Amino acid sequence: MNDFLTSLGSIVGTTNIRTNEAAQPYHTDERNRYHHAPIAVVLPKNTAEVAEVVKLCVAQNPPIAIIPQGGNTGLVGGAAVLPDHPSVLLNLTRVNAVRQIDEANRTMTVEAGVTLEHAQQIAQEHGLLYPLSLASEGTATIGGNLATNAGGTQVLRYGNTRDLCLGLEVVLPNGDIWSGLNTLRKNNTGYDLKHLFIGAEGTLGIITAAVLKLFPSPVDTLTAFIATKDLHHIVQAFNTCQKQFDAQLTAFEYISPNALNLVCDQFNHQHPFADDTQAHVALIEISHTSTQTDALNALHQSFNHHISAAIEQGFIKNAIVAQSGTQQMQFWQIREQISAAQKRVGKNIKHDISVPISAIANFVEVTCSQLEQHYPSIEPTIFGHIGDGNLHFNVSRGQAFANANALMAAETDINQIVYNQVQQHKGSISAEHGIGLLKKDWLEQLKSPVELNLMRVIKQSLDPLNMINPGKILNQ
Amino acid sequence: MNDFLTSLGSIVGTTNIRTNEAAQPYHTDERNRYHHAPIAVVLPKNTAEVAEVVKLCVAQNPPIAIIPQGGNTGLVGGAAVLPDHPSVLLNLTRVNAVRQIDEANRTMTVEAGVTLEHAQQIAQEHGLLYPLSLASEGTATIGGNLATNAGGTQVLRYGNTRDLCLGLEVVLPNGDIWSGLNTLRKNNTGYDLKHLFIGAEGTLGIITAAVLKLFPSPVDTLTAFIATKDLHHIVQAFNTCQKQFDAQLTAFEYISPNALNLVCDQFNHQHPFADDTQAHVALIEISHTSTQTDALNALHQSFNHHISAAIEQGFIKNAIVAQSGTQQMQFWQIREQISAAQKRVGKNIKHDISVPISAIANFVEVTCSQLEQHYPSIEPTIFGHIGDGNLHFNVSRGQAFANANALMAAETDINQIVYNQVQQHKGSISAEHGIGLLKKDWLEQLKSPVELNLMRVIKQSLDPLNMINPGKILNQ
């Protein structure tokens, strides 16, 4: 084993290997669920070093598995170390060069370890927008975003990470480097290999660099809260906004009464509709890129017109438009602090689910009613991205459970109720967080044997020795 | 063989099998390049019949290959029959049910044989837009669009066919049916298998149904021609429009002086800038979805403002905005009749290429100059989708070649010059038409061995007997 560490050191430099206590921050996950230690944490600097590390690991007898890791902000144990697979944890945060920015082509080529925030900044410095936006963007890396096909608040307009990527460079399980850094928007020359690696959670290869799409930066936005009587009306309001504003509608975020009251309490925000705290609320953002002030005025007039009409028709009760940049930020803080507010009141059971937009309201009604039957007084905290059909459907202790232990003891049963309804409504048990370790047993239950078999065939064909992130997504 | 035909007939009905002359229209391709006859053309009615046909073919000794076919409008021989593979041509045009439309979810689920035009109509009847738009849309099918990842004129705003698809149903090479008809916009549960089949030109499985994304229909559009002195200025004008109008910019189509003069001559169109027939021209379409007339007025004002500024700055020479729906259609006819105009003047050599947007102008300059050195007086007819970096770079007889035979004799050499420059500029030799038979030797030359090997590994893992569309894209 010492020989192996020496060889690793000769590839990446001995100062870029972590063992024992120094390794601990890397093998403790964001939600503090997984802790097993790897043989070593290795921090290569570039693609060539990554490839050499892979070749070295594969050449060991028995071979040593490789677990790729970005900013270690994942929520499902996708970069956790497994006791039954002696592994090297390959952290990519030092593989972080910005290789190219092409303003006229609206692309940038960055290495996997660049943080999302840094990528956003670079785009901004060139007068462009990299639209992916997540709570963990200061730490999460582009490689991790791609491996998990991360979502966030701007998916409605710009798509998931998958949709923002034109090309990849990947170190394959045999140590070969696939240079697929395509910068073209149209390229129909054979199988689109990048989509295999995006969202594969590092199980098919190690993403080392990517070509990202950039967009014109919005010049201004209209930010508003609307209040409705229920989730059916929220969906109706979404459809109205979508129809009128199309791609200018850049966010439509639902907040349930429970979630809104919680975040206002915990962070001393004024409730946007203080006289109607049982309202179902949506945070709406409409953006425009024109530098003409007439265009912004026309947007506001149009919004006011449609909101007034909706109030007359009865599916919106009230609306409030932010009057300044500061107020816009305050509106967004309310949305963004919901998770932190939940953390403050103790452990909770998270569900990152999606259903067709047309099924959202029924799904929530039926699921809440089933949970209520089993756990009287249960009050799920629900918020999410209406335009993506993506809800964060979380259960805190509340009045329903005597203490945190009682809540966590019910986790599997609660998951079963929620995921059964997700399946009834043709939804997904992981809209944006991935499968990792946390949900792989659920995946085995819920996916068809044909689909599971297809996934296994692909895994086996690209990684026949099962060396790259073994035991994630799929049981082998 | 008669037993085999009898068995086929018992699956699809004897009236749905074509042999001899009746088979000919199916095995003659759009460009009249490929003619070899299959054992039979089979027209199943639904997915179950497709699966049964596949199982029957695989069970023969030796097995019989299956070539999936949609509307037979492909340009690269992707559904051609090969002499060295006894094959059944599996035409999917009868698998054409509309399975579901979900207005609130903005999706529709249709079978592979639905024509693109029919899909557009169904969406329209529900007040929504299926934005894919191609010259062959009356005949081309959704299954063929997906198998080739078709492009067209609206890619700038809505993406390629790949981007318009949420889920697939596929009959696999072993006859299993993968039911992946996901209707969700976010679903991170394992490998995204649909992307393997989209663009694979029917070599990995047979697409039988798909979930398509629908969009709000534009209420009105602004359609204009601009004139510039060269292609550099066209690209600059594109970037200005893109920055100001973002996703409202739904088309930006370049037409070279040569292409514009040709189409105006052949179809008696008035040249939009009759006093400047050497201008490089773009057809611009800006759409909006708001029902507020103020919004349309603001759009026109904003467009006029930016065009005036560009004329003052010198990178646009002139502009003309269509004043009625009729005039908008006339403008589009000019663009859409270019290919037909070329056909009228005889055979031509087509290149469907893409380069980064930032490289378009240089690519055209260098390539034209190199061609001119070898073939004095050659005048390529160039047009295409600037926002996608996609040019149709076609060579007609013109003054440079004594006759059509002389032109066609130079085809390989001309291709070599063009494709070398495509590669120098990091472009693609097939932006939207695919590889099929026509370009597979070029692919072998131009792709890296690592990438070719990855594609082969995937083909072999999904289709180990090489039964589904063998010999397309890749030489085995």
Side-chain angles (χ1 to χ4, degrees):
Chain A
M1 196 45 70
N2 279 339
D3 283 357
F4 173 67
L5 290 178
T6 307
S7 304
L8 272 183
S10 72
I11 297 171
V12 301
T14 49
T15 56
N16 296 310
I17 296 180
R18 307 272 184 284
T19 53
N20 302 320
E21 282 94 76
Q24 211 183 328
Y26 298 89
H27 63 82
T28 303
D29 77 308
E30 173 83 12
R31 295 177 71 188
N32 204 16
R33 282 172 176 255
Y34 305 105
H35 307 93
H36 198 77
I39 294 167
V41 178
V42 188
L43 293 107
K45 182 61 192 160
N46 54 44
T47 306
E49 287 184 9
V50 172
E52 277 192 75
V53 170
V54 169
K55 283 181 180 163
L56 177 70
C57 290
V58 175
Q60 301 304 302
N61 188 5
I64 290 171
I66 299 122
I67 304 171
Q69 182 180 67
N72 195 19
T73 60
L75 298 174
V76 294
V81 179
L82 296 180
D84 47 348
H85 289 280
S87 307
V88 149
L89 192 56
L90 186 82
N91 182 288
L92 287 130
T93 49
R94 289 181 67 242
V95 185
N96 62 0
V98 176
R99 294 204 194 156
Q100 198 208 17
I101 295 163
D102 183 341
E103 285 183 29
N105 197 45
R106 287 169 289 121
T107 50
M108 67 180 175
T109 307
V110 299
E111 292 184 344
V114 167
T115 64
L116 173 52
E117 192 171 75
H118 189 200
Q120 293 165 345
Q121 284 164 356
I122 300 159
Q124 204 177 1
E125 285 161 16
H126 289 80
L128 291 162
L129 174 75
Y130 180 62
L132 192 69
S133 178
L134 308 171
S136 60
E137 61 201 22
T139 314
T141 62
I142 295 298
N145 298 160
L146 286 160
T148 58
N149 185 28
T153 55
Q154 305 281 299
V155 172
L156 175 60
R157 161 65 179 98
Y158 299 100
N160 296 290
T161 308
R162 180 184 299 285
D163 304 302
L164 302 174
C165 178
L166 290 174
L168 287 183
E169 178 187 83
V170 178
V171 173
L172 301 172
N174 64 1
D176 278 354
I177 298 167
W178 172 52
S179 298
L181 291 171
N182 166 71
T183 61
L184 307 167
R185 279 173 175 72
K186 274 188 182 169
N187 183 5
N188 279 348
T189 52
Y191 308 153
D192 196 329
L193 300 170
K194 70 173 178 290
H195 284 301
L196 262 183
F197 300 102
I198 299 172
E201 305 184 39
T203 63
L204 298 178
I206 302 162
I207 295 169
T208 51
V211 180
L212 305 176
K213 285 190 204 168
L214 302 177
F215 294 81
S217 293
V219 170
D220 214 334
T221 57
L222 180 161
T223 308
F225 273 119
I226 59 163
T228 71
K229 89 169 160 54
D230 62 22
L231 198 40
H232 288 281
H233 283 179
I234 288 283
V235 172
Q236 194 176 350
F238 167 72
N239 281 327
T240 301
C241 287
Q242 175 84 348
K243 193 173 170 197
Q244 290 296 325
F245 299 104
D246 192 26
Q248 291 188 286
L249 182 66
T250 42
F252 196 101
E253 299 285 301
Y254 169 65
I255 311 178
S256 69
N258 199 22
L260 186 52
N261 292 322
L262 175 73
V263 71
C264 290
D265 281 355
Q266 290 295 323
F267 287 94
N268 289 319
H269 291 296
Q270 202 190 339
H271 191 294
F273 305 102
D275 56 350
D276 187 10
T277 56
Q278 286 313 297
H280 291 249
V281 164
L283 175 62
I284 299 175
E285 186 186 77
I286 304 172
S287 302
H288 80 125
T289 50
S290 171
T291 47
Q292 295 288 94
T293 49
D294 285 358
L296 181 61
N297 293 340
L299 193 67
H300 274 266
Q301 278 166 25
S302 185
F303 184 76
N304 292 340
H305 170 86
H306 292 295
I307 293 295
S308 301
I311 290 174
E312 217 161 278
Q313 286 168 55
F315 65 90
I316 293 182
K317 294 202 288 181
N318 205 347
I320 173 170
V321 177
Q323 296 302 311
S324 66
T326 310
Q327 204 177 9
Q328 290 183 342
M329 275 171 53
Q330 284 165 351
F331 282 20
W332 271 105
Q333 267 193 340
I334 292 176
R335 165 63 184 83
E336 282 167 356
Q337 288 174 339
I338 299 172
S339 290
Q342 284 203 282
K343 213 168 182 174
R344 283 197 183 182
V345 296
K347 282 199 170 178
N348 65 86
I349 302 169
K350 289 186 193 299
H351 306 98
D352 161 45
I353 62 95
S354 63
V355 293
I357 298 167
S358 48
I360 291 174
N362 283 332
F363 163 80
V364 169
E365 270 176 23
V366 175
T367 310
C368 287
S369 136
Q370 290 212 350
L371 286 170
E372 173 83 23
Q373 279 172 32
H374 289 78
Y375 308 99
S377 309
I378 196 171
E379 279 187 85
T381 302
I382 307 171
F383 58 101
H385 322 292
I386 290 294
D388 315 324
N390 178 195
L391 296 178
H392 298 290
F393 188 106
N394 299 342
V395 177
S396 308
R397 209 193 101 192
Q399 307 297 315
F401 298 92
N403 52 43
N405 287 344
L407 171 70
M408 296 320 286
E411 182 170 15
T412 305
D413 291 341
I414 290 174
N415 288 348
Q416 189 77 57
I417 291 170
V418 174
Y419 292 156
N420 277 351
Q421 284 308 317
V422 166
Q423 200 168 31
Q424 290 285 321
H425 289 85
K426 302 192 173 170
S428 167
I429 62 162
S430 188
E432 52 183 14
H433 296 167
I435 298 298
L437 270 185
L438 190 67
K439 294 186 183 174
K440 74 174 180 169
D441 291 336
W442 290 105
L443 201 72
E444 292 282 340
Q445 275 188 46
L446 298 172
K447 287 259 180 193
S448 72
V450 171
E451 183 155 341
L452 288 169
N453 184 52
L454 265 177
M455 298 208 296
R456 287 204 171 88
V457 163
I458 288 161
K459 169 71 174 171
Q460 281 157 17
S461 70
L462 291 187
D463 183 17
L465 300 176
N466 195 22
M467 294 309 302
I468 304 287
N469 216 8
K472 306 295 164 59
I473 303 182
L474 295 165
N475 295 313
Q476 298 306 315
Chain B
M1 196 47 68
N2 279 338
D3 284 356
F4 173 67
L5 289 178
T6 308
S7 303
L8 271 184
S10 72
I11 297 172
V12 300
T14 49
T15 56
N16 296 309
I17 295 180
R18 308 271 184 284
T19 53
N20 304 320
E21 283 94 79
Q24 211 182 328
Y26 297 91
H27 63 82
T28 303
D29 77 309
E30 173 83 12
R31 296 177 70 187
N32 204 16
R33 282 173 176 255
Y34 305 105
H35 308 92
H36 198 77
I39 295 168
V41 178
V42 188
L43 294 108
K45 182 60 192 159
N46 54 45
T47 306
E49 288 184 11
V50 173
E52 278 192 74
V53 170
V54 170
K55 283 182 179 164
L56 177 69
C57 291
V58 176
Q60 300 305 300
N61 188 6
I64 291 171
I66 299 123
I67 302 171
Q69 182 180 67
N72 196 19
T73 59
L75 299 174
V76 293
V81 179
L82 296 180
D84 48 347
H85 289 280
S87 306
V88 150
L89 191 56
L90 186 81
N91 182 288
L92 286 130
T93 50
R94 288 182 67 242
V95 185
N96 62 0
V98 176
R99 293 204 194 158
Q100 197 209 18
I101 295 162
D102 183 342
E103 285 183 31
N105 196 45
R106 287 170 290 120
T107 50
M108 67 180 174
T109 307
V110 300
E111 291 184 346
V114 167
T115 65
L116 173 52
E117 192 171 75
H118 188 201
Q120 292 165 346
Q121 283 163 355
I122 300 160
Q124 203 177 2
E125 285 163 16
H126 289 79
L128 291 162
L129 174 75
Y130 180 62
L132 192 69
S133 178
L134 308 171
S136 59
E137 61 200 22
T139 314
T141 61
I142 295 298
N145 297 163
L146 285 161
T148 59
N149 186 27
T153 55
Q154 305 282 299
V155 172
L156 175 59
R157 160 65 179 98
Y158 300 100
N160 297 292
T161 308
R162 180 185 299 286
D163 304 301
L164 303 174
C165 177
L166 291 175
L168 287 183
E169 179 187 83
V170 178
V171 173
L172 302 172
N174 64 1
D176 278 353
I177 298 167
W178 171 53
S179 297
L181 291 171
N182 168 70
T183 62
L184 308 167
R185 279 170 174 74
K186 276 187 182 168
N187 184 5
N188 279 348
T189 52
Y191 308 154
D192 196 329
L193 299 169
K194 70 174 178 291
H195 285 300
L196 262 182
F197 300 101
I198 298 171
E201 304 185 38
T203 63
L204 299 178
I206 302 161
I207 295 170
T208 52
V211 180
L212 304 176
K213 285 189 205 170
L214 303 175
F215 294 81
S217 292
V219 170
D220 214 334
T221 57
L222 180 160
T223 308
F225 272 120
I226 59 164
T228 70
K229 90 170 161 53
D230 62 21
L231 198 39
H232 289 281
H233 283 178
I234 289 283
V235 173
Q236 193 176 350
F238 166 72
N239 281 328
T240 302
C241 287
Q242 175 84 350
K243 194 173 168 195
Q244 289 296 326
F245 300 105
D246 191 29
Q248 290 187 286
L249 182 66
T250 43
F252 195 103
E253 299 284 302
Y254 169 65
I255 311 177
S256 70
N258 199 22
L260 185 53
N261 292 322
L262 176 73
V263 71
C264 289
D265 280 356
Q266 290 295 322
F267 287 94
N268 290 318
H269 292 295
Q270 202 191 340
H271 191 294
F273 306 100
D275 57 350
D276 187 9
T277 57
Q278 286 314 298
H280 292 248
V281 163
L283 176 60
I284 299 175
E285 186 185 79
I286 304 172
S287 302
H288 80 127
T289 49
S290 172
T291 47
Q292 296 287 96
T293 50
D294 284 358
L296 181 61
N297 293 339
L299 192 68
H300 274 266
Q301 277 168 26
S302 183
F303 183 76
N304 292 341
H305 169 85
H306 292 295
I307 293 295
S308 302
I311 290 173
E312 217 161 279
Q313 287 168 56
F315 65 90
I316 294 181
K317 295 202 287 182
N318 205 347
I320 173 170
V321 177
Q323 296 302 311
S324 66
T326 310
Q327 205 178 7
Q328 290 183 341
M329 273 171 53
Q330 284 166 352
F331 282 18
W332 270 105
Q333 267 192 341
I334 292 178
R335 165 62 184 85
E336 282 166 356
Q337 288 174 338
I338 299 172
S339 290
Q342 285 203 279
K343 213 167 182 173
R344 283 195 184 182
V345 296
K347 281 198 172 179
N348 64 86
I349 302 168
K350 290 186 194 295
H351 305 100
D352 161 44
I353 61 95
S354 62
V355 292
I357 297 166
S358 48
I360 291 173
N362 283 333
F363 163 80
V364 169
E365 269 175 25
V366 175
T367 310
C368 287
S369 139
Q370 290 212 349
L371 286 170
E372 174 83 24
Q373 279 172 33
H374 290 79
Y375 308 98
S377 310
I378 196 169
E379 280 187 84
T381 303
I382 306 171
F383 57 101
H385 322 292
I386 291 293
D388 316 324
N390 178 194
L391 296 177
H392 299 289
F393 188 107
N394 300 341
V395 177
S396 306
R397 210 193 99 192
Q399 308 296 316
F401 298 92
N403 53 42
N405 287 344
L407 171 70
M408 296 320 286
E411 181 169 16
T412 305
D413 291 342
I414 291 175
N415 288 347
Q416 189 77 58
I417 291 170
V418 174
Y419 293 155
N420 278 351
Q421 285 308 316
V422 166
Q423 200 168 32
Q424 291 286 321
H425 289 85
K426 302 193 173 168
S428 167
I429 62 163
S430 188
E432 54 182 14
H433 296 166
I435 298 298
L437 269 186
L438 190 67
K439 296 187 181 173
K440 74 173 179 169
D441 291 336
W442 290 105
L443 201 71
E444 291 282 341
Q445 276 187 47
L446 298 172
K447 286 259 179 192
S448 72
V450 171
E451 183 155 341
L452 288 168
N453 183 52
L454 264 178
M455 297 206 297
R456 287 203 172 89
V457 163
I458 288 162
K459 169 72 174 170
Q460 282 157 14
S461 71
L462 292 187
D463 183 18
L465 300 175
N466 194 23
M467 293 308 302
I468 304 288
N469 216 6
K472 308 294 165 59
I473 301 181
L474 295 165
N475 294 313
Q476 298 307 315

